[in-house]
Amino acid sequence: MLITDDFLPVPVPESLTATYLVPTTGQVDPAPAEAVAALGGRLPGPVHDLARQMLDSPLMTVDTRPIAEFPHLPPDLLTAFGATDTQLARLDAATDLVVVQASYRPGWPPAHEWAARTVACAIAESLGADVVDVFALQFLDPATALRSLPDAEGRVRLIDWVLVPYSSDDGGLWFTTKGLRRFGLLELQAQGVPTHLTRAWGAVMTGVARRLLRAWTDGLTDSEVPAFVQLPVVTSVSGHDIAVAYGNPQQHDTTGPAALRLELDPATDPDADSFLTLLPPVGHPGPTGRYFAAVCAALFGAAAQSDVRYARPDDAMARAIATARDGLPGIRERFLADTLPDGVQLLVKYGLPTDEGPEFVWAGVTSWATPERIVGASACDATADPAVRVGQPVVVDAVDVVDWALLDGSGVIEGGWTQAVLDAGDRSQR
């Protein structure tokens, strides 16, 4: 293997395993084959076929075990990664766990993750239960988790698979990724990040993860799993990397690139994780935090200071959007059949693209002849588009809709799930 100063040899594990849990009460038959078949057309054919093939192979196991036989799931860590009191109560009341495990070689696609998540979510939906992602120690809503799987073109949002937690110390913020090991790659870390760059640097880490994951999987295309993959010591990240990682490639963001240096930080404790550490390029003068701030300024401009760009959608908002989108066909039928209550107006909420992520605005629906296109009148003035003004006609692509609401003289009488999440967040800040 050729080793140069330009590349960093990173060890490759021989195989990878994904584990998902479905907590249940009482002895139940998970019927995994039937549960996966029931997903029908909700998943693209390749993903559905992959799950069925893995399920029929020795690469996947589905077992039901008494919960006492499984290692304890720490409620404090589950809470830190978004678990609700209701989910924790259901886990505490569970007597058994359906354990879904799949193993596969490193490379792309990560068949072990795609298949195990599909089967676990299918079982959870059939039982009306939760899913626990053991790797991330995170509860997953089954319907939302199914949407995290590859689309018909094989694309995923990296933020659905890689988290970026952080903590503070005297030198600033310590960021890590949590999810790259799903794919066999070491996790990233960065230390000494200025505290005002919390969201901006989280986006940078996600963009770098996307860039490195592509280089990593490109090095795993041979039939034999190599002992090492060589990653570039100096990597770059652009606005496009970040936009794609957040599932917004339509932004065509061309900001950057900004350069960062990788350094292998091997663990001295056999039970601890090794990291790939992000640092300024060799020879950069001044503190590390100053360079990180320059990277954010290059990628986000003034938005890096206001800390508003690329906010990661939390579980509550994701569920709100999913609920609204699931209800779109039904509310369209009611609108077309003229069965809405008298004096009620139907509004939809959709995103306008901007350099700082989507700006969400509302429009009153006036016509919805085809499912894909909604004609209406803007209910507000948009900051991003001077043509979008109150009362002006707009045409909305249904794929851009994130919420809908029925409005009468007293306010919202149905829908408005995303606004409810925002209002709850405002109250929690008071």
Side-chain angles (χ1 to χ4, degrees), residues 49-70:
D49 292 343
L50 173 64
R52 294 171 63 186
Q53 291 165 9
M54 291 279 281
L55 190 56
D56 290 337
S57 79
L59 297 173
M60 177 179 285
T61 59
V62 180
D63 299 315
T64 302
R65 308 179 196 171
I67 196 167
E69 294 182 4
F70 203 85

Side-chain angles (χ1 to χ4, degrees), residues 157-170:
R157 298 191 322 164
L158 194 61
I159 60 168
D160 292 329
W161 297 89
V162 176
L163 305 174
V164 186
Y166 63 90
S167 58
S168 61
D169 57 31
D170 293 339

Side-chain angles (χ1 to χ4, degrees), residues 304-385:
Q305 300 301 319
S306 60
D307 198 22
V308 297
R309 193 172 184 188
Y310 292 114
R312 180 183 299 273
D314 61 20
D315 287 344
M317 184 60 75
R319 287 194 295 269
I321 294 173
T323 300
R325 290 192 58 80
D326 287 345
L328 279 179
I331 196 62
R332 175 175 178 265
E333 288 182 6
R334 292 163 61 189
F335 175 80
L336 294 177
D338 198 23
T339 57
L340 298 178
D342 291 339
V344 166
Q345 184 182 18
L346 171 62
L347 294 92
V348 293
K349 185 180 184 180
Y350 65 103
L352 294 171
T354 79
D355 288 341
E356 298 179 6
E359 177 188 0
F360 294 104
V361 294
W362 290 90
V365 178
T366 57
S367 176
W368 201 345
T370 63
E372 300 81 14
R373 199 172 86 140
I374 304 168
V375 179
S378 181
C380 58
D381 293 340
T383 302
D385 188 343

Side-chain angles (χ1 to χ4, degrees), residues 419-430:
Q419 193 60 47
V421 172
L422 293 173
D423 291 344
D426 288 343
R427 287 194 295 271
S428 70
Q429 298 300 317
R430 293 173 188 168

Side-chain angles (χ1 to χ4, degrees), residues 70-409:
F70 203 85
H72 179 64
L73 295 172
D76 54 339
L77 290 180
L78 289 167
T79 300
F81 285 103
T84 66
D85 290 342
T86 301
Q87 289 170 328
L88 292 173
R90 286 197 294 264
L91 177 63
D92 189 55
T95 58
D96 297 274
L97 294 172
V98 180
V99 183
V100 180
Q101 286 189 315
S103 298
Y104 203 66
R105 56 160 283 172
W108 199 266
H112 59 298
E113 283 287 353
W114 290 180
R117 182 170 287 197
T118 299
V119 173
C121 290
I123 292 171
E125 281 202 343
S126 70
L127 300 177
D130 300 309
V131 174
V132 178
D133 175 4
V134 172
F135 178 89
L137 279 177
Q138 188 176 37
F139 276 90
L140 302 177
D141 169 66
T144 303
L146 287 171
R147 285 190 288 272
S148 73
L149 293 162
D151 62 16
E153 297 181 23
R155 299 171 302 191
V156 295
R157 298 191 322 164
L158 194 61
I159 60 168
D160 292 329
W161 297 89
V162 176
L163 305 174
V164 186
Y166 63 90
S167 58
S168 61
D169 57 31
D170 293 339
L173 299 177
W174 174 38
F175 278 78
T176 62
T177 59
K178 187 174 180 61
L180 288 177
R181 282 197 296 113
R182 297 181 189 272
F183 312 106
L185 182 58
L186 297 180
E187 303 290 358
L188 300 176
Q189 70 171 356
Q191 295 173 293
V193 179
T195 55
H196 70 279
L197 297 177
T198 304
R199 288 185 180 172
W201 191 256
V204 171
M205 294 278 286
T206 307
V208 173
R210 185 253 177 186
R211 177 67 67 97
L212 291 178
L213 187 58
R214 289 195 63 181
W216 175 255
T217 54
D218 286 347
L220 297 171
T221 55
D222 294 339
S223 58
E224 296 294 328
V225 177
F228 295 88
V229 166
Q230 295 201 80
L231 297 179
V233 168
V234 177
T235 189
S236 61
V237 60
S238 67
H240 178 70
D241 290 316
I242 297 169
V244 172
Y246 278 77
N248 296 317
Q250 67 275 12
Q251 286 186 358
H252 299 296
D253 199 329
T254 58
T255 56
L260 290 159
R261 177 167 57 92
L262 288 180
E263 185 174 277
L264 179 60
D265 186 9
T268 55
D269 183 343
D271 295 327
D273 291 330
S274 297
F275 286 97
L276 293 171
T277 301
L278 295 178
L279 296 164
V282 172
H284 170 74
T288 297
R290 184 183 302 168
Y291 185 79
F292 290 164
V295 168
C296 292
L299 291 169
F300 310 123
Q305 300 301 319
S306 60
D307 198 22
V308 297
R309 193 172 184 188
Y310 292 114
R312 180 183 299 273
D314 61 20
D315 287 344
M317 184 60 75
R319 287 194 295 269
I321 294 173
T323 300
R325 290 192 58 80
D326 287 345
L328 279 179
I331 196 62
R332 175 175 178 265
E333 288 182 6
R334 292 163 61 189
F335 175 80
L336 294 177
D338 198 23
T339 57
L340 298 178
D342 291 339
V344 166
Q345 184 182 18
L346 171 62
L347 294 92
V348 293
K349 185 180 184 180
Y350 65 103
L352 294 171
T354 79
D355 288 341
E356 298 179 6
E359 177 188 0
F360 294 104
V361 294
W362 290 90
V365 178
T366 57
S367 176
W368 201 345
T370 63
E372 300 81 14
R373 199 172 86 140
I374 304 168
V375 179
S378 181
C380 58
D381 293 340
T383 302
D385 188 343
V388 179
R389 291 292 178 265
V390 172
Q392 292 297 309
V394 292
V395 177
V396 180
D397 290 332
V399 295
D400 294 329
V401 173
V402 298
D403 202 355
W404 57 267
L406 296 181
L407 192 70
D408 68 4

